[in-house]
């Protein structure tokens, strides 16, 4: 026994030396602010915001960096990482953060700014992740950032800010001072990158007699050399963008379309023989500001006529461009209220307030006109567990059908959690819509390990992952049954590939790490994956 221990110790020692000797990790930022200078950190806000080294508040050593005089959420310290972004490079980031005024817990956001080889192109901003700190306590924060595959990018900066709010909505709590210390950013040795698990069954093949299985991705993930792409190519046969097909990205200014991010996904999908969806054409969220503004006087709302024109042009520009290439469209997304009826301006939906309910009919008609063969979907969340909302969707779709509005399918987003809704509720929902003669497709499935926003951050333990696997398995068994009955369309889309990329890590609670998908952050299969491909491999699955 003893000898075995010794042998292991020696082995670890030797491997340790080997890893150390070969490690090509590079420390890019190592700021403890002990030498009294800003060490390359600068204020993002050009005028008001200030940075200084202070000694009264610090994490390690004798000083820290104080960020003060902030007047915008995005005011915070920024530091350059590189002039020459290299796709798939991973930067690991760790730091300590502190604040003493404001709410008991405060959210901070770690973000990336990128410049482009074409220096005249506006810089891009990306919120990587958010995290929670406690008032009056130093909180450690760690994350990783993987450089995307955009061939036009040039430099990268990192910065810390508060969750974004438009300038006119900024509250005193958004302007608080904060302190940072012991910031370390390391560019990882490529050998330390996670590797997509290899010798496992192919997920889509397992279900191919019933439906294709898709994934939501970002343009940055569909780089042939990336490990995410290995997972995509092996397991998925449908692609959709998690964000890159939304109007704020596609039409940032009126009449000026930026196809590049969506098209990286479309190209990748076509090159790898995947089917494609577009999400969404019409939504109340992630729109450019100009959309609802009067052109001559942006302080005024756009007129009904002009907005109708903008809507029609947008739908038809996209659908004509991708005719015969994109099969399925979320024509309208989340048109129902969380309380009653259609979603109005009070829940963020300016479409309804300006155009009235007929914008839904028009959107579908204009879509059909632009591409007669595409599948036209009305996409919604929370229909399964909410009888009121489900019934309202039924009434809405029935009305559309009665008026001969061309709707082909109801999309159930299926952002569900580990307990609810029940399989029975999902069954009733699918069968209800099938009774109207429309198909049901699953458009954004994920399964949170949390059941309420008030639940504290927790580890995804083996027991939780087993429970999750059981539920994925049970729900897919239902989907198979509904497919046999002819009620289901032929696509089930999962909202992401590996847990580290999931939006649920920041929604509904910023920085609360979740584990809703089929692969873990190291790109290894989770019990949920096995629940779908070979349940016998997971002990305890029924
Ligand atoms: C989410 C994305 O996944 C996030 O990255 C983004 O910050 C917000 O939007 N319903 C939808 C999707 O229809 O568009 C949303 O996607 C998730 C909820």
């Amino acid at each position: 026994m003893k000898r075995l221990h010794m042998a292991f110790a020696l082995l670890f020692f030797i491997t340790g030396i080997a890893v150390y000797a070969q490690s090509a990790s590079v420390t890019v930022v190592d700021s403890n602010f002990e030498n009294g200078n800003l060490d390359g950190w600068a204020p993002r806000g050009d005028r008001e915001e200030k940075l200084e080294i202070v000694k009264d508040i610090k994490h390690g050593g004798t000083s820290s960096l104080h960020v003060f005089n902030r007047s915008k959420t995005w005011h915070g310290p920024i530091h350059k990482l590189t002039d020459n972004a290299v796709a798939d490079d991973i930067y690991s980031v760790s730091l300590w953060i502190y604040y003493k005024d404001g709410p008991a817990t405060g959210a901070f956001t770690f973000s990336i700014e990128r410049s482009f080889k074409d220096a005249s192109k506006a810089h891009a901003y990306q919120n990587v992740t958010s995290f929670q700190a406690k008032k009056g306590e130093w909180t450690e924060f760690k994350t990783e950032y993987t450089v995307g595959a955009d061939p036009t990018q040039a430099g990268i900066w990192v910065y810390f800010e508060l969750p974004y709010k438009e300038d006119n909505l900024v509250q005193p709590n958004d302007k608080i001072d904060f302190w940072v210390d012991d910031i370390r950013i390391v560019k990882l040795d490529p050998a330390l990158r996670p590797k997509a698990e290899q010798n496992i069954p192919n997920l889509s093949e397992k279900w191919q007699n019933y439906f294709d299985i898709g994934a939501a991705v970002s343009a940055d993930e569909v780089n042939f050399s990336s490990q995410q792409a290995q997972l995509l190519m092996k397991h998925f046969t449908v692609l959709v963008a998690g964000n890159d097909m939304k109007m704020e990205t596609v039409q940032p200014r009126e009449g000026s379309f930026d196809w590049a991010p969506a098209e990286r996904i479309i190209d990748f999908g076509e090159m790898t023989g995947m089917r494609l969806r577009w999400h969404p054409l019409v939504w109340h969220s992630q729109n450019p500001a100009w959309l609802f503004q009067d052109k001559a006087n942006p302080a005024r709302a756009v007129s009904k006529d002009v907005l109708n024109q903008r809507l029609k042009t947008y739908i038809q520009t996209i659908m004509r461009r991708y005719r015969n290439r994109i099969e399925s469209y979320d024509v309208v997304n989340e048109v129902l209220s969380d309380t009653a009826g259609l979603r109005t301006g009070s829940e963020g939906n300016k479409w309804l307030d300006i155009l009235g309910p007929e914008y839904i009919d028009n959107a579908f008609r204009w879509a059909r006109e632009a591409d007669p063969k595409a599948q036209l979907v009305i996409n919604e969340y929370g229909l399964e567990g909410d009888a009121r909302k489900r019934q309202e969707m039924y009434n809405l779709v029935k009305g559309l059908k009665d008026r001969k509005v061309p709707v082909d399918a109801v999309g159930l987003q299926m952002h569900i959690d580990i307990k609810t809704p029940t399989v029975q509720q999902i069954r009733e929902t699918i069968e209800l819509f099938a009774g109207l003669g429309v198909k049901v497709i699953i458009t954004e499935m994920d399964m949170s390990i949390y059941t309420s926003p008030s639940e504290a951050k927790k580890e995804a333990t083996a027991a939780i992952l087993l429970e999750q696997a059981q539920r994925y398995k049970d729900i897919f068994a239902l989907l198979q049954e509904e497919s046999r009955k002819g009620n289901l369309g032929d696509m089930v889309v999962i909202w992401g590939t590996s847990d580290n990329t999931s939006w649920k890590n920041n929604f509904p609670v910023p920085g609360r790490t979740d584990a809703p998908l089929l692969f873990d952050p190291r790109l290894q299969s989770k019990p949920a994956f096995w629940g779908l491909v070979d349940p016998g491999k997971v002990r305890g699955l029924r």
Side-chain angles (χ1 to χ4, degrees):
M1 195 63 184
K2 245 206 176 119
R3 199 148 355 119
L4 205 61
H5 272 148
M6 282 285 289
F8 269 121
L10 197 64
L11 190 69
F12 279 131
F13 183 68
I14 292 169
T15 1
I17 292 180
V19 167
Y20 181 78
Q22 281 165 16
S23 174
S25 295
V26 182
T27 302
V28 189
V29 175
D30 192 0
S31 302
N32 54 25
F33 306 107
E34 295 302 306
N35 56 10
N37 67 47
L38 293 177
D39 207 15
W41 291 92
R44 288 191 81 217
D46 33 18
R47 256 170 246 119
E48 317 85 297
E49 183 204 357
K50 303 246 170 348
L51 302 184
E52 64 177 349
I53 312 280
V54 294
K55 292 197 178 294
D56 54 335
I57 293 177
K58 65 254 168 182
H59 173 250
T62 60
S63 38
S64 77
L65 179 68
H66 178 206
V67 186
F68 64 110
N69 234 30
R70 303 177 53 256
S71 55
K72 311 277 188 330
T73 58
W74 48 269
H75 282 171
I78 185 165
H79 196 292
K80 186 157 209 169
L81 283 191
T82 177
D83 285 315
N84 180 17
V86 175
D88 297 334
D89 269 352
I90 298 182
Y91 289 87
S92 92
V93 177
S94 68
L95 77 148
W96 292 80
I97 202 152
Y98 176 95
Y99 73 98
K100 62 188 172 74
D101 299 309
T105 59
F108 294 84
T109 300
F110 165 65
S111 302
I112 289 288
E113 178 170 337
R114 288 181 301 141
S115 65
F116 296 90
K117 287 175 185 150
D118 170 0
S120 68
K121 202 177 159 199
H123 286 197
Y125 304 99
Q126 177 189 344
N127 300 141
V128 178
T129 177
S130 293
F131 53 103
Q132 305 270 7
K134 285 207 181 90
K135 177 154 79 177
E137 280 176 32
W138 281 97
T139 306
E140 187 177 26
F141 170 67
K142 291 184 171 184
T143 191
E144 279 183 353
Y145 168 69
T146 305
V147 179
D150 184 346
T152 68
Q153 67 191 343
I156 305 180
W157 291 256
V158 294
Y159 58 97
F160 305 99
E161 60 185 335
L162 268 69
Y164 180 74
K165 283 184 191 163
E166 285 177 32
D167 291 353
N168 59 334
L169 299 177
V170 166
Q171 300 291 314
N173 280 347
D174 301 315
K175 300 196 264 188
I176 53 172
D177 290 12
F178 62 90
W179 288 256
V180 285
D181 204 356
D182 299 327
I183 311 173
R184 213 172 128 78
I185 304 179
V186 177
K187 190 170 88 182
L188 288 190
D189 181 343
L192 301 176
R193 289 176 190 164
K195 290 241 172 359
E197 191 174 352
Q198 291 295 314
N199 302 306
I200 52 176
N202 168 322
L203 173 67
S204 287
E205 232 164 62
K206 164 81 193 185
W207 296 93
Q208 63 187 354
N209 293 338
Y210 305 98
F211 37 76
D212 276 305
I213 301 187
V217 298
S218 85
D220 278 342
E221 289 166 351
V222 291
N223 164 17
F224 277 98
S225 69
S226 83
Q227 292 299 312
Q228 288 288 345
Q230 310 313 309
L231 286 185
L232 291 168
M233 291 189 285
K234 183 171 171 69
H235 299 288
F236 298 92
T237 45
V238 181
L239 276 190
V240 66
N243 287 301
D244 299 316
M245 294 168 174
K246 292 172 180 171
M247 205 198 298
E248 65 179 3
T249 304
V250 176
Q251 195 182 192
R253 285 167 304 282
E254 181 156 26
S256 140
F257 285 76
D258 182 1
W259 302 109
E263 218 138 277
R264 285 220 297 280
I265 296 172
I266 294 167
D267 289 348
F268 179 87
E270 288 180 338
M271 283 189 277
T272 55
M274 298 206 212
R275 304 167 69 193
L276 293 165
R277 304 199 73 239
W278 183 282
H279 164 87
L281 289 169
V282 190
W283 193 26
H284 63 276
S285 187
Q286 293 180 271
N287 286 313
W290 66 265
L291 178 62
F292 299 109
Q293 295 170 352
D294 180 80
K295 201 168 190 171
N297 180 0
R300 285 181 42 182
V302 63
S303 70
K304 181 169 177 173
D305 283 352
V306 173
L307 187 60
N308 263 320
Q309 196 50 52
R310 287 177 181 172
L311 177 60
K312 181 174 183 185
T313 305
Y314 186 67
I315 291 174
Q316 298 203 332
T317 305
I318 293 168
M319 293 189 71
R320 291 214 168 101
R321 181 180 177 94
Y322 295 117
R323 189 152 32 183
N324 299 324
R325 294 173 66 192
I326 291 181
E327 265 184 63
S328 174
Y329 286 81
D330 289 334
V331 178
V332 298
N333 188 32
E334 304 183 348
V335 298
L336 291 181
S337 159
D338 286 329
T339 53
L342 292 175
R343 179 184 293 270
T344 66
S346 71
E347 285 172 288
N349 190 14
K350 296 190 175 134
W351 294 111
L352 184 79
D353 285 15
I354 301 174
L355 298 181
E358 62 274 20
Y359 82 95
I360 300 172
D361 295 36
N362 285 332
F364 278 97
R365 292 208 159 101
W366 290 328
R368 181 62 96 227
E369 193 178 284
D371 184 349
K373 284 188 282 190
Q375 179 189 55
L376 306 183
V377 180
I378 181 164
N379 197 41
E380 190 55 81
Y381 66 89
L383 302 180
E384 309 83 16
D386 180 343
R388 186 274 316 165
K389 203 172 180 185
R390 195 198 293 176
Q391 189 57 42
E392 299 213 73
M393 181 56 96
Y394 179 89
N395 298 344
L396 177 59
V397 175
K398 175 140 193 346
L400 293 172
K401 299 291 281 181
D402 289 347
R403 293 190 297 280
K404 304 261 181 308
V405 175
V407 53
D408 300 314
V410 173
L412 303 181
Q413 292 187 358
M414 289 271 257
H415 295 293
I416 61 176
D417 71 44
I418 199 150
K419 302 279 186 209
T420 62
T422 64
V423 172
Q424 180 57 18
Q425 285 174 317
I426 301 171
R427 180 196 314 275
E428 285 164 13
T429 309
I430 295 174
E431 295 185 355
L432 181 72
F433 295 115
L436 280 174
V438 290
K439 298 279 184 203
V440 171
I441 62 169
I442 310 301
T443 53
E444 308 184 14
M445 185 169 182
D446 52 24
M447 191 189 294
S448 177
I449 63 171
Y450 302 97
T451 55
S452 113
S454 57
E455 208 180 324
K457 183 167 169 171
K458 64 184 181 191
E459 288 297 317
T461 59
I464 291 174
L465 294 178
L466 177 63
E467 190 178 351
Q468 180 181 59
Q470 184 69 51
R471 228 167 110 65
Y472 262 108
K473 173 175 181 284
D474 294 347
I475 292 172
F476 269 62
L478 167 71
L479 297 180
Q480 172 173 341
E481 191 186 321
E482 293 300 331
S483 161
R484 281 209 180 100
K485 290 185 190 163
N487 294 338
L488 209 67
D490 60 357
M491 290 181 179
V492 174
V493 179
I494 315 276
W495 206 240
T497 47
S498 55
D499 284 337
N500 53 316
T501 65
S502 168
W503 73 303
K504 297 299 294 178
N505 293 315
N506 287 306
F507 184 89
V509 183
R512 188 176 68 172
T513 312
D514 207 331
L517 301 171
L518 302 178
F519 293 92
D520 74 13
R522 307 298 298 174
L523 313 188
Q524 308 300 297
S525 56
K526 292 168 60 185
F529 170 87
W530 291 100
L532 300 188
V533 300
D534 192 356
K537 289 261 164 32
V538 183
R539 236 173 107 187
L541 271 190
R542 278 172 282 115

